[in-house]
Amino acid sequence: DVQLVQSGAEVKNPGESLKISCQGSGYSFTSYWIGWVRQMPGKGLEWMGIIYPADSDTKYSPAFQGQVTISADKSIGTAYLQWSSLKASDTAMYYCTRPNYISGFFHGFDLWGQGTVVTVSS
Amino acid sequence: AIQMTQSPSSLSASVGDRVTIACRASQGIRNDLGWYQQKPGKAPKLLIYAASSLQSGVPSRFSGSGSGTDFTLTISSLQPEDFATYYCLQDNKYPYTFGQGTKLEIK
């Protein structure tokens, strides 16, 4: 099956570091971009950024540039989202997502991970 | 960044109603827009890509239209399972941006 499987829920203290993961399977991991989306409690979806695992080309949304790091390890088919110093305002659900291409044309983000809940609280 | 303004933010409707949700881009994005449905506690689901193309497996009561700056998602006859929150997402230029969402509730 083609799927994205995310790491489990995290509870952290402010100031701690964190790295969450998104593992792709059932497809060529290096051939598709992987995006990250934040959803704060009771709020809408926010686009954070996207990475191309083949060469780690990464595009950040300005609101998240410098706040998080998106990376990928193509050898194990996994993308990451990491924080060096968490804040309470990082409390949210985080989704990874992959676009679909047919005959070279973009066909939307049709594959999503199940989400990772991050709770930052002292 | 391209701003996506979605309206209305919430909508009450009945089973069988026809509903329309709008999304306006702050600049032209050709037809580089998708519509996503999200139910509580679940990941978003792609309904429409390239503004008007129906994703495989999505019921034909969902349709999308528009190009440039103005787009609409229409549900022709609401079913109980359609009550959810809907988002547009522009994929024309980085950073991609979502609309604020439309919560569709049962009247």
Side-chain angles (χ1 to χ4, degrees):
Chain A
D1 278 0
V2 177
Q3 58 181 349
L4 296 174
V5 178
Q6 296 186 231
S7 49
E10 301 275 1
V11 179
K12 291 289 191 180
N13 292 314
E16 290 186 325
S17 62
L18 175 65
K19 193 173 190 177
I20 63 175
S21 66
C22 169
Q23 183 169 38
S25 62
Y27 71 96
S28 173
F29 185 72
T30 53
S31 298
Y32 294 82
W33 293 80
I34 294 278
W36 286 94
V37 174
R38 182 175 80 174
Q39 187 166 40
M40 298 175 75
K43 302 298 184 183
L45 304 173
E46 299 175 88
W47 185 266
M48 301 179 72
I50 196 167
I51 187 166
Y52 192 61
D55 60 9
S56 291
D57 184 17
T58 307
K59 319 277 188 191
Y60 291 94
S61 177
F64 294 95
Q65 178 90 47
Q67 308 304 308
V68 298
T69 301
I70 294 171
S71 61
D73 185 339
K74 60 187 179 184
S75 69
I76 57 172
T78 301
Y80 300 97
L81 179 64
Q82 68 180 94
W83 295 260
S84 59
S85 180
L86 286 159
K87 310 179 193 65
S89 57
D90 294 317
T91 294
M93 173 75 86
Y94 294 89
Y95 293 102
C96 61
T97 183
R98 192 212 75 174
N100 188 25
Y101 293 93
I102 297 178
S103 301
F105 289 94
F106 177 74
H107 279 227
F109 288 91
D110 70 332
L111 187 63
W112 291 75
Q114 81 278 20
T116 297
V117 176
V118 173
T119 303
V120 183
S121 174
S122 54
Chain B
I2 297 173
Q3 306 299 315
M4 302 302 296
T5 303
Q6 193 173 333
S7 61
S9 55
S10 64
L11 179 57
S12 292
S14 301
V15 172
D17 282 356
R18 178 185 180 91
V19 299
T20 298
I21 297 168
C23 214
R24 173 167 287 177
S26 60
Q27 64 188 75
I29 59 170
R30 304 184 308 182
N31 69 336
D32 298 330
L33 183 112
W35 289 98
Y36 296 80
Q37 176 194 66
Q38 189 182 33
K39 296 183 178 179
K42 299 294 187 182
K45 173 187 174 184
L46 175 66
L47 301 175
I48 301 285
Y49 63 90
S52 60
S53 295
L54 190 68
Q55 170 68 359
S56 176
V58 174
S60 59
R61 62 181 180 273
F62 291 92
S63 64
S65 65
S67 183
T69 59
D70 292 298
F71 303 86
T72 58
L73 172 70
T74 299
I75 310 172
S76 60
S77 179
L78 273 173
Q79 298 303 300
E81 61 269 29
D82 300 337
F83 292 94
T85 301
Y86 294 84
Y87 296 91
C88 61
L89 170 67
Q90 71 81 16
D91 50 73
N92 175 261
K93 189 178 290 187
Y94 293 122
Y96 295 165
T97 41
F98 285 98
Q100 303 96 312
T102 296
K103 187 173 183 179
L104 181 51
E105 299 173 305
I106 301 173
K107 185 183 285 186

